[in-house]
Amino acid sequence: MQVTPSLPVKSVPEFIAYAKANPGRIAMGSGGNGSPAHVIGEYFKLMTGTDLTHVPYRGAAPAVTDLLGGQIQVAFTEMATSLGHVRAGSLRALAVTTASRTQALPDVPTLSEFIPGFEASQWVGLVAPRDTPPAIIGRLNGEINAALGDPAMKARFADVGGVALPGTPADFGSLIRDETEKWGKVIRAAHIRLG
């Protein structure tokens, strides 16, 4: 969660108070309707009772450009898109949305430190067709876990604010089911529609 430096807030509680004092006047940019940044922003709104105006862009980069220019005031982008701007001081990171603080910005708090239970992570995984033989799935899983355990790979993920999460195919299946249920509720509650 980052804001344009001209916004007169320095913390999540200050942002929430400012948003409640200015309903509908804070523009929240995202990479488009239904994008992770949009859904996470709607989750934030639902959990805090704030009224932010969603401004969809055609990708995260144009949203960050307008955040830098002050045309929008807040965005919930993936860290790799805005980390350089935060480190340079051209954007102000108020919090990370993950369950724990990130190695890339260790002094930036999590949203859950202010909003109990808030957790939102963008993740990427590898899937295979349903009828892929178990031996092939097992081999792929083993090789991927070995790569994710490599110190150089972990360091590269950390450089861009990411975390490698090795696991079993069953672990990944559970993650997909849990995330689908969680975000489906947010999408329905926020009445998000594509197109």
Side-chain angles (χ1 to χ4, degrees), residues 126 134-149 166-169:
L126 183 64
I136 292 174
I137 298 290
R139 171 90 189 267
L140 285 170
N141 182 249
E143 295 295 331
I144 291 167
N145 282 338
L148 292 176
T168 67

Side-chain angles (χ1 to χ4, degrees), residues 80-163:
T81 302
S82 55
L83 185 59
H85 300 296
V86 170
R87 286 179 172 159
S90 50
L91 291 178
R92 182 180 303 129
L94 297 185
V96 294
T97 62
T98 51
S100 56
R101 291 186 183 208
T102 178
Q103 183 179 336
L105 296 170
D107 295 331
V108 176
T110 66
L111 275 173
S112 64
E113 291 175 45
F114 310 103
I115 307 163
F118 193 104
E119 190 280 326
S121 301
Q122 295 183 45
W123 49 266
V124 176
L126 183 64
V127 297
R130 183 185 322 261
D131 58 352
T132 303
I136 292 174
I137 298 290
R139 171 90 189 267
L140 285 170
N141 182 249
E143 295 295 331
I144 291 167
N145 282 338
L148 292 176
D150 179 84
M153 181 72 81
K154 286 181 178 180
R156 180 64 187 126
F157 273 103
D159 285 346
V160 295
V163 177

Side-chain angles (χ1 to χ4, degrees), residues 54-71:
H54 177 234
V55 180
Y57 288 82
R58 290 181 180 249
V64 170
T65 299
D66 274 5
L67 186 63
L68 288 162
Q71 288 85 2

Side-chain angles (χ1 to χ4, degrees), residues 24-102:
R25 295 182 58 205
I26 296 176
M28 174 188 76
S30 79
N33 284 330
S35 68
H38 177 205
V39 178
I40 291 169
E42 295 296 338
Y43 183 46
F44 177 86
K45 289 166 52 176
L46 289 168
M47 291 193 74
T48 60
T50 52
D51 178 12
L52 309 175
T53 300
H54 177 234
V55 180
Y57 288 82
R58 290 181 180 249
V64 170
T65 299
D66 274 5
L67 186 63
L68 288 162
Q71 288 85 2
I72 59 174
Q73 290 75 47
V74 65
F76 294 84
T77 63
E78 65 278 351
M79 194 171 300
T81 302
S82 55
L83 185 59
H85 300 296
V86 170
R87 286 179 172 159
S90 50
L91 291 178
R92 182 180 303 129
L94 297 185
V96 294
T97 62
T98 51
S100 56
R101 291 186 183 208
T102 178

